[in-house]
Amino acid sequence: MSTTVWRDLGTPESPSENFIDLLVDGVQVSVPEGTSVLRAAAEAGLSIPKLCATESLEAFGSCRLCLVEIEGRRGYPASCTTPAESGMVIRTQTDKLAKIRREVMELYISDHPLDCLTCSANGDCELQDMAGVVGLRDVRYGMSGENHLEAKKDESNPYFTFDASKCIVCSRCVRACEETQGTFALTIDGRGFGSTVSAGMKESFLESECVSCGACVSACPTATLMEKSVIEQGVPERSVKTTCAYCGVGCSFKAEVKGNDVVRMVPDADGKANRGHSCVKGRFAFGYATHKDRITKPMIRNKITDPWKEVSWEEAVSYAASQFKNIQKKYGKSAVGGITSSRCTNEETYLVQKLIRAAFGNNNVDTCARVCHSPTGYGLKTTMGESAGTQDFDSVMHTDVAIVIGANPTDGHPVFASRLKKRLRQGAKLIVVDPRKIDLVDGPHVKASHHLKLMPGTNVAIINSLAHVIYTEKLHDIEFIKERCDSNEFDKWVSFIGQDRNSPEELESVTGVPAADLREAARLYANCKNGAIYYGLGVTEHSQGSTMVLGIANLAMLTGNLGRAGVGVNPLRGQNNVQGACDMGSFPHELPGYRHLSDSVTRELFEREWNVSISPEPGFRIPNMLDAAHSDEFMGIYVQGEDIAQSDPNTQHVTSALEAMECVVVQDIFLNETAKYAHVILPGASFLEKDGTFTNAERRISRIRKVMEPLAGKADWEATVMLSNALGYPMDYTHPSQIMDEIARLTPTFTGVSYEKLDEGSIQWPCNDATPDGTPIMHTSEFVIGKGRFVITEYVPTSERTTRKFPLILTTGRILSQYNVGAQTRRTENVAWHDEDRLEIHPSDAELRGVKTDDWVGIRSRSGETVLRAYVTDRVQPGVVYTTFHFPESGANVITTDNSDWATNCPEFKVTAVQVEPVTQPTEWQKQFQQFNEQQLDLLARATESERV
Ligand code: SF4
Ligand code: SF4
Ligand code: SF4
Ligand code: FES
C-alpha cells in the first residue's frame, strides 16, 4: 500500500539547471530559475494558500489568494505567477495578507452552497481547506443577492457530474483539458460574475468533444466536477498503488478504496509512464472487475453441449490434469499446449510457459502477442539486437519531428497521445502515415505537416521510398552509420535502396501517396535534430509486418535517430503486458529473454533450475495448433486470459478447431467466446485481485498490487501452480515475488529486478549489474547486437488483391472507449460512447451503393461475410472501408483472411478485399453465433454445484 502523501507544490517544476537563492519568511531556499514564488515557498516547507494554482498546470493567477509581500516591491503580487528571483525577500504571512485572503475567501463562500457537512467532497475539498487556512469564520454577505446557487447540474457523463452551483471559476478544469489532455473541450463563457464553465457550445459533457479522461475532475478543487462513484459511495479511506490493466502505456494509478470497494482510480502524479494523467478506460472503466458476469466458481463439463457443473478448485484442476494426461497418452506428448496472455502479469505468463515446457514436456506455447506485435520482436532484434522499443515516453518531449505510422494514439494510447500533442503545441512537427484521417491529422491546436494517406498494404513501399529520398539526396547521417553500423550490410542495402524502383515517383501508383509530398516528409524527418518514429498494429499486422519493422529500423539508423532522448523506434504496444508476455518466453522457439531453444547453454540453465529436460525443438504457434486440431494431432489446450475465438483471424477455423479438441481449459474472468467452447473453466482474477508486474511499451516493469481478495479465491498464478502440481510437475511458490526472483536468476536483462526494488518505483529493463537503475534509452553508445544491421526490405505486394468482385479494402482499428475484444469495456458505462462496431465508408463509395449512415450493410470477403451498420465519412479514403472489432457479434474476423506475416505468422488483419452492399438481415454466421451464444449462456445459468461429471 502507498504510504507517501503527495504534496501539491502549486506550479510545475522548472527545467532550468541554474539555481537561485531567495529568502521566504526568513527561510533560505535555493530553486531552479523560472520557479514561481509559490513553489519556492512550498519547497522551503511553507504553504501559501492557493486555489487556482496546482502543480500539474501552468499558473493562471485568478483567485488572488496566494498574494505575498516582496521587499522593495509595491502591492501584493500573486505568488503563483511571480517568478522567484535571486536575492528576493518574501513574506507570506502578515496581518495585511491574512485580511486580504479572508476577504477573498468570503466572496467565494458567499456564492457557494453552505452544505459542507453533506457535500460529497467533505474532507476532500480545497475550498473548504482554504476557508480553514485563512481563518474564515463569518460571511458578511448574505445569500440573498445574485448568485449561482440554482445553477443546473450536468449529469450526462456516465462517470462524473458537473455541479455549476459549486464552481469558483478557477479555470483549473479548462487548463487541464488544454494543457494535460489537449482536447480543448471546455471554455469559460461570459465575463466577471456571469462567467461559467462550459463544455463546447453549451452542450452537455456527453455531447461535447470531451473524451472523459478525467483530468478536469482531478484538477477541480471543489465538488463541482466530481466522480459519481464518490458521490454514491463516499470519500475513500485508503489507497493502493497499482498499474492500469488496459493498454501498453501502463499508467500508474492509486486505487482508492472504501471498505473492500474501489471507489475511484486516481492517476498517480509520480507515475513515470503517465505523469499524473489517464484516459477514460483506466480512470473510470474499472467496474467490470465486480460485474455480475464474473465467473467466480471453477466449472467442468464433458461436452460443450452439457450444462456447466460448479466444482471445487481441486476437482476442476485434477479433472483438467487427467484430461491432458489422457490426451498425451492417446495422441502423443505434443498433442497439448497453451496460450499465455498479454493481459496477465509477467509472473503468470512465465509460469504458464514453464508449465508447458516442464509439465507438458513440449514447447507448444504461444501468446496473443502473436496476433499483434510479433514482427516488432523479430524486426528490432534482427537490426539492433533487442526485441523492444528504444525510448521512454518522456523522450517525446525532446522530439522535433515525430512520424506516426499505422497507429492511432488518441484512441489506442491516449495518454501518450496527450504528451505528443503537448510537444506538437510546443512546435514539433508531425508526419502521419495512415490510410485513414486519424484525429492527430487535424485536431484542436494540432495539425500534421504531412498526412501520407497510403493504400493499406503498401507500408514497405512507403518506408523504402522515404529511405530512398534520404539516401539519394544525401541527407543521411554518414558519421553515425560509419561509427555505429555494419558497413558491409550498409553497402549492400545502399545498392538496393538507391535503385529508381524505390523512388516515390515509381511507387506513387502503388501507394497512392503523391511523390512530392513524400519527398517533403522525408526531408523534414532527415533534417531535424531529433526525429522519432512511433508505430502500431498498422505496421505489424500485414503479410510484410516484419519487413516494415526492419524498414523502420533502417530509416532510424540511416538518419542517426537512435541512442538519445527525442529519437528512436517506438512500438506502441496494444495490451498492457504485450511486452512482458514476449519477454517471458511465450513463443514456441524462445525461452525467457528471447533466447532461442537451440542455444544449449541457455537450455541447460533452465534445465538445472527447473530440474527437467527441455526439448530443443520449437513447438506449435497458435495457427499450427489450430491446424493440428483439425487433423487430430493437437487435442488439448490451456488458454489463460486470451480469447482466440474473437481475436484471431478466420473465426470459423478457430471455433471448429476448438470444437475438435477433447479438452479446452480456459482461465478467464468472464465466459468469453473461447470459454464457450471449453470443458474446464478456471475463474480468473482481475488486476485488482492480485500481486504481480506488467511491462509496458517502454520496457517499464511496474507493480500491480492486490486491492481486494480474488472473487474466486485464487489469483491466476495460484491456479497455474495447482495445475502444474496435478500434472506431476511440482511448483511451490507462495508469492509472485518468488517467481520474479526466479525470472531474475535466469534472464540477463532482469538480474537486477526484484519486488523490493520495484517498490521504490518502476524500472525499465535491461536492469542488471551494468545498469542497476534500468535503461530509459537503449543503444546509447552501441547497439545490443554491436553494429547496427541494415536489412534489405524488398516490397512484395500482399496476395490479397482487389478485384471487380471485391473492390474495396477493409482495414481495422480500435476506438478510445473500448478495448480489444471488449470483454472488459463492454461491461462498463463506456458503451455510452460506443455500443456497436460500425463500418466507415467514404461518401463516394456509399453513394455508388446507395448506402446511408445507419443502413445495414453486408461486408463480403473471400473468407466470409458479416453485417454491420454503416457510417458514411470522409475519414476513410475512397476504396477503403474501416471497422473496429470490439463486439463479437460484429464478426470482424469472420471476414479477415488467412494471410500472415512471412516471418512471424502475425495475421494480416489490416488488408482484406471486400464488397459492401445494402442488406436487410444478419448473415448466417451471425444467426448461428446468436443461437450458440444463447445456448451457452443458458448452460452457464444451469450450472449446479451438486452434480458430478
Ligand atoms: S469546475 Fe472546478 S476546476 Fe473548473 S472552474 Fe469550476 S471550480 Fe474550477
Ligand atoms: S474529462 Fe478530459 S476531455 Fe473531458 S472536459 Fe475534462 S479534461 Fe477535457
Ligand atoms: S492510456 Fe492506457 S494505460 Fe493509461 S489509463 Fe488509458 S488505457 Fe490505461
Ligand atoms: S493560486 Fe495564485 S492566484 Fe490563485
Side-chain angles (χ1 to χ4, degrees):
M1 180 182 316
S2 145
T3 46
T4 46
V5 179
W6 176 68
R7 216 172 130 236
D8 183 351
L9 301 182
T11 57
E13 190 177 7
S14 162
S16 173
E17 285 171 9
N18 296 333
F19 276 67
I20 50 167
D21 294 328
L22 62 158
L23 211 58
V24 189
D25 290 345
V27 179
Q28 182 86 27
V29 55
S30 184
V31 292
E33 233 169 4
T35 303
S36 70
V37 167
L38 180 69
R39 188 176 175 112
E43 298 214 351
L46 304 160
S47 294
I48 301 175
K50 63 177 182 59
L51 270 176
C52 68
T54 185
E55 186 177 313
S56 58
L57 302 170
E58 294 302 328
F60 187 61
S62 69
C63 75
R64 312 293 296 160
L65 205 60
C66 69
L67 310 187
V68 290
E69 291 175 7
I70 303 178
E71 235 173 66
R73 290 209 190 167
R74 294 178 53 182
Y76 305 96
S79 61
C80 62
T81 49
T82 306
E85 287 173 18
S86 182
M88 259 182 178
V89 178
I90 291 156
R91 277 183 291 279
T92 72
Q93 310 292 340
T94 66
D95 290 347
K96 181 67 190 169
L97 289 171
K99 183 165 180 290
I100 301 173
R101 287 176 187 150
R102 266 198 304 277
E103 283 168 3
V104 169
M105 278 307 294
E106 202 174 359
L107 280 172
Y108 277 124
I109 299 293
S110 69
D111 187 16
H112 198 85
L114 294 178
D115 62 353
C116 288
L117 283 183
T118 52
C119 176
S120 48
N122 188 20
D124 186 23
C125 169
E126 291 182 43
L127 187 69
Q128 187 184 38
D129 293 347
M130 286 307 128
V133 167
V134 304
L136 186 69
R137 299 279 171 263
D138 302 312
V139 177
R140 287 167 296 163
Y141 318 110
M143 297 280 189
S144 50
E146 207 185 347
N147 60 42
H148 299 93
L149 301 179
E150 299 303 321
K152 221 172 137 245
K153 257 191 191 179
D154 177 349
E155 298 191 283
S156 62
N157 184 290
Y159 297 117
F160 60 83
T161 58
F162 173 70
D163 180 354
S165 72
K166 294 183 170 163
C167 180
I168 58 170
V169 203
C170 66
S171 103
R172 271 162 66 159
C173 54
V174 179
R175 286 177 285 143
C177 193
E178 293 175 2
E179 292 174 29
T180 311
Q181 165 56 23
T183 291
F184 295 77
L186 301 177
T187 49
I188 303 270
D189 276 352
R191 301 178 62 145
F193 181 80
S195 38
T196 51
V197 169
S198 154
M201 306 293 288
K202 293 202 185 302
E203 295 157 308
S204 71
F205 269 81
L206 191 63
E207 291 157 339
S208 75
E209 295 295 305
C210 167
V211 293
S212 199
C213 71
C216 56
V217 181
S218 298
C220 181
T222 65
T224 313
L225 283 160
M226 189 87 200
E227 296 92 346
K228 286 183 178 171
S229 55
V230 176
I231 295 173
E232 279 153 23
Q233 293 164 262
V235 175
E237 295 156 344
R238 64 189 173 99
S239 79
V240 181
K241 254 194 201 185
T242 190
T243 305
C244 178
Y246 281 118
C247 87
V249 176
C251 295
S252 174
F253 277 90
K254 282 190 275 181
E256 295 195 340
V257 183
K258 186 169 189 184
N260 289 322
D261 299 326
V262 175
V263 177
R264 69 178 162 195
M265 296 290 285
V266 178
D268 180 10
D270 292 333
K272 295 198 182 98
N274 56 322
R275 304 283 174 198
H277 192 33
S278 63
C279 82
V280 60
K281 294 190 282 286
R283 177 77 156 92
F284 296 117
F286 55 87
Y288 72 86
T290 46
H291 193 276
K292 63 174 178 40
D293 289 352
R294 278 289 301 272
I295 305 276
T296 56
K297 297 268 171 46
M299 295 187 295
I300 57 176
R301 60 182 177 181
N302 263 332
K303 302 193 298 296
I304 66 165
T305 46
D306 289 343
W308 285 105
K309 322 266 178 187
E310 289 178 349
V311 293
S312 66
W313 273 100
E314 286 71 19
E315 190 173 346
V317 164
S318 90
Y319 179 73
S322 68
Q323 291 292 87
F324 284 137
K325 284 197 233 171
N326 289 341
I327 289 171
Q328 286 193 301
K329 227 179 266 163
K330 199 161 141 198
Y331 301 95
K333 207 178 198 180
S334 58
V336 296
I339 301 179
T340 70
S341 172
S342 299
R343 270 179 254 170
C344 288
T345 64
N346 286 317
E347 293 76 1
E348 287 159 352
T349 307
Y350 174 87
L351 275 202
V352 172
Q353 64 87 35
K354 177 173 176 178
L355 175 144
I356 287 160
R357 298 188 207 277
F360 285 171
N362 62 43
N363 291 305
N364 291 337
V365 57
D366 206 356
T367 172
C368 49
R370 163 79 52 219
V371 298
C372 64
H373 264 290
S374 44
T376 288
Y378 177 85
L380 300 186
K381 180 131 187 156
T382 306
T383 47
M384 299 185 231
E386 197 54 271
S387 302
T390 61
Q391 310 295 120
D392 57 3
F393 286 134
D394 284 349
S395 164
V396 76
M397 298 316 287
H398 302 274
T399 296
D400 300 306
V401 173
I403 310 186
V404 173
I405 313 177
N408 185 6
T410 52
D411 287 57
H413 303 86
V415 165
F416 165 70
S418 293
R419 302 285 295 280
L420 174 61
K421 287 193 281 183
K422 190 175 203 161
R423 182 65 188 150
L424 296 174
R425 290 196 303 275
Q426 290 172 356
K429 299 278 183 271
L430 174 68
I431 299 164
V432 172
V433 183
D434 203 289
R436 195 163 156 268
K437 189 173 158 199
I438 58 170
D439 284 349
L440 281 177
V441 169
D442 193 3
H445 300 264
V446 164
K447 196 168 172 51
S449 304
H450 300 277
H451 176 200
L452 309 184
K453 213 192 286 174
L454 76 176
M455 277 310 279
T458 63
N459 282 339
V460 174
I462 288 280
I463 208 81
N464 283 349
S465 46
L466 286 168
H468 174 90
V469 172
I470 292 169
Y471 176 70
T472 54
E473 295 191 9
K474 301 200 176 359
L475 304 175
H476 54 299
D477 187 336
I478 296 169
E479 281 310 305
F480 182 90
I481 296 163
K482 222 195 283 173
E483 200 185 312
R484 301 281 309 268
C485 302
D486 183 301
S487 55
N488 282 338
E489 309 270 8
F490 178 66
D491 292 344
K492 275 191 239 158
W493 179 78
V494 156
S495 61
F496 155 74
I497 207 72
Q499 294 172 23
D500 281 350
R501 65 194 174 93
N502 288 318
S503 73
E505 288 74 16
E506 287 289 320
L507 289 169
E508 187 175 307
S509 61
V510 172
T511 62
V513 174
D517 203 14
L518 190 137
R519 278 192 182 274
E520 285 303 321
R523 290 170 192 145
L524 182 65
Y525 172 69
N527 286 327
C528 74
K529 187 165 162 247
N530 289 330
I533 303 173
Y534 292 89
Y535 71 87
L537 305 184
V539 158
T540 53
E541 290 178 342
H542 287 272
S543 56
Q544 279 206 291
S546 290
T547 320
M548 182 61 181
V549 177
L550 296 169
I552 287 173
N554 288 341
L555 197 68
M557 290 189 291
L558 183 68
T559 50
N561 276 312
L562 286 159
R564 59 180 190 279
V567 299
V569 173
N570 306 278
L572 295 169
R573 307 289 185 150
Q575 306 196 68
N576 51 323
N577 202 33
V578 174
Q579 181 68 56
C582 298
D583 300 343
M584 292 299 114
S586 297
F587 291 124
H589 65 291
E590 278 173 345
L591 287 160
Y594 304 97
R595 284 164 296 164
H596 204 279
L597 276 171
S598 59
D599 168 12
S600 58
V601 177
T602 305
R603 229 177 36 247
E604 278 162 23
L605 180 73
F606 281 85
E607 285 177 337
R608 265 198 309 280
E609 175 83 27
W610 294 354
N611 200 22
V612 289
S613 70
I614 299 171
S615 163
E617 289 305 313
F620 288 144
R621 293 173 174 178
I622 296 171
N624 310 130
M625 295 181 198
L626 300 174
D627 291 345
H630 283 112
S631 55
D632 287 359
E633 290 166 63
F634 187 86
M635 302 306 281
I637 192 165
Y638 169 32
V639 186
Q640 184 182 70
E642 162 63 344
D643 194 1
I644 51 172
Q646 190 182 341
S647 65
D648 283 36
N650 199 343
T651 306
Q652 291 105 315
H653 183 70
V654 177
T655 53
S656 58
L658 289 169
E659 273 182 285
M661 291 184 206
E662 290 180 6
C663 181
V664 174
V665 177
V666 169
Q667 187 171 6
D668 209 283
I669 59 175
F670 296 116
L671 185 82
N672 64 19
E673 299 313 307
T674 309
K676 290 172 189 161
Y677 294 88
H679 306 96
V680 179
I681 291 189
L682 304 176
S686 78
F687 77 112
L688 294 170
E689 296 155 43
K690 57 195 182 187
D691 283 295
T693 56
F694 293 150
T695 306
N696 76 353
E698 309 163 284
R699 296 168 276 106
R700 182 181 301 287
I701 310 161
S702 302
R703 276 297 313 274
I704 65 161
R705 293 181 177 85
K706 196 200 269 188
V707 176
M708 52 167 86
E709 287 305 314
L711 296 192
K714 290 201 188 300
D716 299 288
W717 64 270
E718 292 176 288
T720 307
V721 166
M722 278 184 87
L723 181 58
S724 188
N725 286 330
L727 283 163
Y729 179 76
M731 289 189 187
D732 59 0
Y733 310 98
T734 53
H735 192 270
S737 62
Q738 298 158 351
I739 307 171
M740 180 53 85
D741 292 343
E742 181 173 317
I743 296 166
R745 275 198 301 278
L746 294 168
T747 316
T749 43
F750 276 69
T751 49
V753 180
S754 66
Y755 275 33
E756 216 177 359
K757 191 151 192 171
L758 288 167
D759 281 344
E760 291 163 21
S762 58
I763 307 169
Q764 285 173 270
W765 66 256
C767 172
N768 45 33
D769 288 348
T771 53
D773 298 325
T775 312
I777 296 175
M778 293 203 68
H779 314 296
T780 47
S781 53
E782 66 168 7
F783 289 104
V784 172
I785 203 174
K787 297 279 184 194
R789 289 185 56 201
F790 281 84
V791 180
I792 291 175
T793 53
E794 194 74 61
Y795 166 61
V796 181
T798 166
S799 59
E800 181 68 1
R801 304 285 169 82
T802 53
T803 56
R804 274 211 345 237
K805 205 166 163 206
F806 302 108
L808 303 170
I809 291 284
L810 169 76
T811 190
T812 57
R814 46 169 142 154
I815 200 156
L816 170 68
S817 53
Q818 295 289 343
Y819 173 74
N820 202 267
V821 293
Q824 294 145 285
T825 41
R826 281 187 275 114
R827 290 181 171 92
T828 69
E829 300 289 337
N830 278 23
V831 289
W833 289 279
H834 185 86
D835 60 359
E836 67 175 300
D837 295 319
R838 297 268 194 134
L839 185 82
E840 290 187 6
I841 182 166
H842 188 270
S844 60
D845 290 324
E847 196 186 340
L848 201 66
R849 291 164 175 77
V851 168
K852 295 185 295 309
T853 289
D854 290 343
D855 285 354
W856 291 103
V857 287
I859 306 135
R860 194 162 28 85
S861 74
R862 293 179 181 95
S863 304
E865 193 174 359
T866 195
V867 169
L868 297 173
R869 283 200 297 156
Y871 179 63
V872 179
T873 170
D874 62 5
R875 282 176 77 107
V876 284
Q877 53 182 306
V880 176
V881 288
Y882 167 90
T883 188
T884 48
F885 50 84
H886 303 299
F887 289 79
E889 60 271 26
S890 303
N893 285 330
V894 172
I895 44 182
T896 48
T897 68
D898 271 344
N899 289 357
S900 64
D901 174 44
W902 61 271
T904 65
N905 262 167
C906 182
E908 187 165 54
F909 284 137
K910 302 292 181 183
V911 191
T912 309
V914 295
Q915 177 57 291
V916 173
E917 289 154 335
V919 292
T920 51
Q921 54 170 330
T923 62
E924 266 321 298
W925 178 85
Q926 281 169 313
K927 287 182 200 159
Q928 280 166 17
F929 170 85
Q930 200 53 36
Q931 229 173 15
F932 182 65
N933 185 42
E934 279 163 20
Q935 177 204 30
Q936 289 301 318
L937 292 180
D938 180 55
L939 294 175
L940 178 66
R942 285 160 54 198
T944 62
E945 277 178 34
S946 54
E947 296 168 47
R948 291 180 61 87
V949 171

